[in-house]
Amino acid sequence: MAVDKDLLNRGNKEYAPDKCCILPEAINSALASATKRRKRYKSAKVYAIGVVYDKARDKYLARITPFGHDKQVKLHYWDTEEEAFQEYKLFKESEIRILALRYRDKIPDRLFDALIKYEVRPYSSYED
């Protein structure tokens, strides 16, 4: 089990009893990878989470590391960053919902409901 500070209060930075919840580590890890903070480099563009730009193909690539796996999976190449992000978002939100279903009898209804409604955003919760 793990303490999560921003499932119920998106963007929360405080570990307080009324703002946190206890989740299975598997769900907490999946949520963390959906909102991870990426380093910004002065000269580099930061793309939406799950998206990279392939200069050789002049396309955007969606990619995801499925829960429980060590290797990233390339999804599809797209003409726009938004299209690539939408594909990542579809896969990531599906993964979170599947984990919610797997743990439904082990977590309170309010956490299950929050996971089913969870929306992946293009940039980490710190930046949007």
Side-chain angles (χ1 to χ4, degrees):
M1 301 297 274
V3 177
D4 183 272
K5 65 179 175 34
D6 36 27
L7 172 62
L8 300 175
N9 299 294
R10 193 102 182 214
N12 176 42
K13 294 179 172 67
E14 182 182 354
Y15 283 95
D18 60 329
K19 296 180 181 177
C20 295
C21 60
I22 297 177
L23 288 173
E25 180 61 40
I27 294 174
N28 194 57
S29 294
L31 292 173
S33 68
T35 60
K36 65 185 170 193
R37 189 175 198 170
R38 291 166 310 250
K39 294 179 182 177
R40 285 187 180 249
Y41 300 98
K42 290 181 182 178
S43 61
K45 167 138 174 49
V46 175
Y47 296 105
I49 191 165
V51 176
V52 294
Y53 178 70
D54 185 325
K55 189 175 180 179
R57 292 183 187 215
D58 190 27
K59 299 272 185 186
Y60 296 88
L61 173 64
R63 60 187 185 173
I64 189 169
T65 304
F67 177 75
H69 297 272
D70 295 331
K71 295 183 180 179
Q72 276 191 340
V73 175
K74 291 180 180 179
L75 300 173
H76 292 95
Y77 287 94
W78 298 91
D79 291 329
T80 68
E81 178 182 1
E82 177 61 23
E83 290 172 314
F85 170 70
Q86 288 304 318
E87 183 179 37
Y88 169 82
K89 175 181 169 71
L90 174 71
F91 277 82
K92 192 62 180 178
E93 288 175 354
S94 296
E95 179 179 67
I96 291 167
R97 288 180 180 102
I98 289 167
L99 284 168
L101 289 168
R102 184 187 304 170
Y103 288 95
R104 184 175 194 159
D105 62 340
K106 295 174 178 63
I107 59 175
D109 288 344
R110 70 185 184 113
L111 299 184
F112 176 80
D113 293 342
L115 291 165
I116 293 300
K117 295 174 185 172
Y118 189 83
E119 182 182 353
V120 174
R121 297 179 184 170
Y123 301 95
S124 76
S125 58
Y126 305 106
E127 299 166 358
D128 56 4

